[in-house]
Amino acid sequence: MSKDAKNVPALRFKGYSDAWEKRKLGELMKVTSVKRVHQSDWRQEGVPFLRARDIVAINKNQKVKEPIYISRDLYERYSEQSGRVTPGDLLVTGVGSIGIPFLIKTESPIYFKDGNIIWFQNRTLDPAFFYFQFTGNSIQTYILSTSGKGTVGTFTIATGKQTPIVFPKKTEQKLIGSTMSDLDNLIAATQHKIDALEQAKKALLQRLFDQSWRFKGYSDPWEKRKLREITEINPKGKIPEVFRYVDLESVKNSSIISSKIETKQTAPSRAQRTAEIGDVFYQTVRPYQKNNVIFLLHSSMPYVFSTGYAQLRSNMNSFFILYLVQTDGFVNDVLNRATGTSYPAINPTHLATIIVCFPKIVSEQNRIGQVLEHLDNLITATQSRLSSLELLKKALLQDLFI
């Protein structure tokens, strides 16, 4: 039986086969908002006051920027008139990024901006099931189709009441809700692990390269040289007869995600950099720490790169060079030398003059490169796991719900 054929999802828990019930949310619960709070009543501490953008940030597991509060006294007075949110209720954005839900899980006092956020006083559906069903295709499609065309879209109390929802018996709701909650918790934990690993990398980059941390057995002072003295920048190379062409748009997260087979006769005019294993490529256009492309070539396949990169080739440990150019000190020097406003860039000639420090002993270079390489591999593996979990969530949202 196909999904939706008789109001049943594609994937069911064992023992459940009944058709789901279809109703409008206004028939199942009160859909409302709260008494208006004026900007003059905003405070820097007190009871949290949510705006639509705050719910969007929370939904993305991001920190709320510039959080707002109201006084406890105002909260008590207004709550006497409007009521208080309770566990199981859903707050949904009505402006901006519309239809983004926030599930109330605790009794902690909270207030929100009227008009911008719709309040579903849920006493009928399993809270977790209700939250995840709200994020699914059916309800989100309805919200987009009724939000208004030609103007800034809005989700109102009126359309909130008319929002259709399909749901099973409470026991099946709980099974679905708990399954999705467990998966969401796993996704959040994986993201937190990535954040912690990236913080660890940031700390290691600083401590290892400012030499406040040294491996046991190494105490010799590091040398200072201009980058051009330890690397060959943009070495000349002969373009092979057949090669894979790589440009800026085909590199993401320090990995080559696509390349096009070309021949010497059909080579794009921007094909200039012939690569060798161990070459480090540094993006010279918009060379920001969060956006720049820094990667080490591992493959022996003939690659030719476009302009927009500085190609670094060195007799030193390639991973040491790779992480050297990621340090805050190096990045700040790059930004200080960059020119232009819309598309700031650094000229390879100026890049070559940056002073860098490095250990004379090759084994110390190797140790530093190895530690950071292992950490990067762990970050990449954890990011891959996060992507898999998010794909699983997407599939379950489609197959467990109608």
Side-chain angles (χ1 to χ4, degrees):
M1 183 182 297
S2 64
K3 178 179 175 178
D4 296 336
K6 289 187 177 180
N7 270 359
V8 295
L11 186 63
R12 303 293 295 269
F13 284 94
K14 187 176 180 179
Y16 294 94
S17 58
D18 293 345
W20 287 20
E21 183 177 354
K22 187 173 184 178
R23 301 282 293 278
K24 294 177 180 179
L25 285 176
E27 299 171 347
L28 299 176
M29 62 192 69
K30 185 177 181 180
V31 183
T32 184
S33 192
V34 289
K35 184 175 173 60
R36 176 166 298 182
V37 170
H38 297 284
Q39 189 170 345
S40 58
D41 292 318
W42 293 357
R43 299 290 181 267
Q44 293 185 337
E45 58 182 20
V47 175
F49 179 74
L50 293 180
R51 299 155 293 181
R53 69 182 188 184
D54 300 330
I55 287 180
V56 173
I58 294 169
N59 188 266
K60 294 179 179 179
N61 290 318
Q62 297 173 351
K63 187 177 180 180
V64 173
K65 295 181 179 179
E66 300 177 353
I68 292 174
Y69 304 85
I70 61 173
S71 70
R72 184 64 184 244
D73 176 67
L74 186 65
Y75 166 76
E76 294 292 348
R77 285 193 287 115
Y78 281 13
S79 294
E80 286 297 320
Q81 301 176 51
S82 301
R84 305 169 192 264
V85 297
T86 59
D89 288 352
L90 206 64
L91 302 181
V92 180
T93 57
V95 297
S97 298
I98 61 174
I100 305 300
F102 172 69
L103 179 62
I104 302 297
K105 298 180 180 180
T106 70
E107 298 281 358
S108 300
I110 196 170
Y111 208 75
F112 55 92
K113 192 170 183 179
D114 75 303
N116 287 16
I117 297 172
I118 310 304
W119 179 12
F120 294 85
Q121 297 181 356
N122 174 40
R123 307 291 182 271
T124 309
L125 303 171
D126 175 76
F129 172 86
F130 184 30
Y131 170 81
F132 288 108
Q133 175 71 305
F134 212 97
T135 67
N137 289 335
S138 178
I139 290 181
Q140 288 298 311
T141 298
Y142 170 80
I143 291 173
L144 291 176
S145 68
T146 59
S147 62
K149 297 179 180 179
T151 60
V152 176
T154 57
F155 182 50
T156 66
I157 291 174
T159 49
K161 290 178 179 178
Q162 295 299 312
T163 302
I165 187 170
V166 189
F167 56 94
K169 293 179 179 178
K170 199 66 171 284
T171 53
E172 189 175 4
Q173 291 179 35
K174 288 182 178 294
L175 283 172
I176 295 172
S178 62
T179 298
M180 296 302 301
S181 294
D182 289 344
L183 181 56
D184 242 14
N185 291 337
L186 185 56
I187 288 173
T190 305
Q191 181 61 62
H192 290 156
K193 184 177 181 180
I194 292 171
D195 294 341
L197 289 170
E198 289 177 340
Q199 286 298 314
K201 178 182 176 180
K202 183 177 180 180
L204 280 174
L205 281 171
Q206 178 179 335
R207 301 301 184 190
L208 289 175
F209 282 92
D210 70 12
Q211 303 160 65
S212 56
W213 287 356
R214 300 288 296 272
F215 288 102
K216 186 177 180 180
Y218 299 100
S219 58
D220 292 350
W222 285 20
E223 289 192 6
K224 286 186 177 181
R225 293 283 188 275
K226 291 180 180 179
L227 184 63
R228 68 186 178 208
E229 296 180 83
I230 65 170
T231 65
E232 186 180 2
I233 299 177
N234 293 342
K236 293 181 179 180
K238 183 179 179 182
I239 295 182
E241 293 297 328
V242 180
F243 59 89
R244 285 191 173 272
Y245 175 66
V246 181
D247 58 21
L248 290 176
E249 289 72 29
S250 60
V251 178
K252 184 178 181 181
N253 296 330
S254 301
S255 298
I256 299 172
I257 57 173
S258 65
S259 58
K260 185 179 179 181
I261 296 178
E262 297 281 359
T263 67
K264 195 171 183 177
Q265 289 72 29
T266 63
S269 60
R270 295 198 304 166
Q272 296 188 13
R273 307 276 174 250
T274 305
E276 292 183 3
I277 294 177
D279 286 352
V280 174
F281 286 80
Y282 189 90
Q283 184 174 316
T284 55
V285 179
R286 287 185 286 189
Y288 305 118
Q289 175 66 1
K290 292 184 179 180
N291 299 330
N292 62 357
V293 178
I294 306 171
F295 64 97
L296 178 68
L297 189 68
H298 297 277
S299 174
S300 59
M301 179 178 291
Y303 278 107
V304 173
F305 287 77
S306 69
T307 55
Y309 296 101
Q311 181 180 2
L312 311 178
R313 185 175 295 168
S314 176
N315 291 326
M316 295 175 62
N317 180 281
S318 295
F319 284 101
F320 180 86
I321 299 296
L322 177 70
Y323 296 111
L324 169 65
V325 298
Q326 295 182 53
T327 60
D328 286 343
F330 188 90
V331 171
N332 289 334
D333 283 338
V334 168
L335 296 179
N336 288 335
R337 289 167 168 78
T339 58
T341 53
S342 298
Y343 293 93
I346 183 169
N347 188 295
T349 302
H350 296 153
L351 187 74
T353 64
I354 294 177
I355 302 295
V356 296
C357 291
F358 62 95
K360 293 181 292 184
I361 301 175
V362 174
S363 58
E364 187 175 7
Q365 298 172 22
N366 294 342
R367 292 286 297 276
I368 292 171
Q370 185 181 51
V371 166
L372 287 165
E373 179 197 3
H374 288 333
L375 183 55
D376 254 358
N377 289 340
L378 183 55
I379 291 172
T380 299
T382 310
Q383 289 171 332
S384 177
R385 187 186 186 208
L386 178 62
S387 296
S388 296
L389 290 171
E390 289 174 337
L391 286 174
L392 174 60
K393 178 181 176 180
K394 184 178 180 180
L396 289 179
L397 280 173
Q398 180 173 332
D399 292 338
L400 282 175
F401 296 88
I402 298 176

